[in-house]
C-alpha cells in the first residue's frame, strides 16, 4: 500500500511539464528523428529522462545540475544512427 501512495505531494517525477494534461506522451516518427539528427552537429538525438529540460522532450543538459542538487545519476536516452 505504501508503494502505491508514496509519490504524492512533492515527490512527483515530473515537477512541472504539461501539468494540465492527464498524461505526458511525446511521439516521434522516424522522419522526426532523422530531421533532429540532421540538426545536431554529432548527428544524435538525446531524449530527456530527468524531466528538467527547458526543451522537453529533448535533453538540454539540465540533468547535470539536477544530479548535483540531489545526488541522482539520471541522463538522457541517446539515439544514434
Ligand atoms: Fe533531462 Fe538531460 S535534461 S536528461
Amino acid at each position: 500500500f505504501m508503494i502505491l501512495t508514496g509519490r504524492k505531494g512533492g515527490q512527483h517525477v515530473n515537477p512541472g511539464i504539461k501539468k494540465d494534461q492527464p498524461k505526458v506522451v511525446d511521439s516521434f516518427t522516424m522522419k522526426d528523428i532523422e530531421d533532429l539528427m540532421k540538426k545536431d552537429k554529432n548527428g544524435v538525438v538525446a531524449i530527456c529522462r530527468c524531466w528538467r529540460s527547458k526543451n522537453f522532450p529533448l535533453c538540454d543538459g539540465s540533468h547535470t545540475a539536477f544530479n548535483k542538487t540531489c545526488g541522482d545519476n539520471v541522463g538522457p536516452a541517446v539515439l544514434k544512427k
Side-chain angles (χ1 to χ4, degrees), residues 19-50:
K19 285 298 194 178
D20 58 325
Q21 298 178 13
K23 178 167 57 179
V24 180
V25 176
D26 296 290
S27 300
F28 298 90
T29 65
M30 285 305 295
K31 181 171 184 337
D32 295 334
I33 294 168
E34 287 168 1
D35 288 348
L36 287 167
M37 285 177 169
K38 285 177 192 167
K39 289 181 186 173
D40 182 79
K41 68 180 191 304
N42 297 315
V44 301
V45 175
I47 306 295
C48 178
R49 296 191 299 180
C50 75

Side-chain angles (χ1 to χ4, degrees), residues 29-81:
T29 65
M30 285 305 295
K31 181 171 184 337
D32 295 334
I33 294 168
E34 287 168 1
D35 288 348
L36 287 167
M37 285 177 169
K38 285 177 192 167
K39 289 181 186 173
D40 182 79
K41 68 180 191 304
N42 297 315
V44 301
V45 175
I47 306 295
C48 178
R49 296 191 299 180
C50 75
W51 293 85
R52 269 66 184 176
S53 175
K54 303 285 185 287
N55 195 27
F56 194 89
L58 301 178
C59 171
D60 70 352
S62 295
H63 56 268
T64 302
F66 171 69
N67 286 338
K68 282 182 183 161
T69 63
C70 65
D72 211 338
N73 64 348
V74 295
V78 178
L79 309 179
K80 302 176 182 176
K81 274 197 176 177

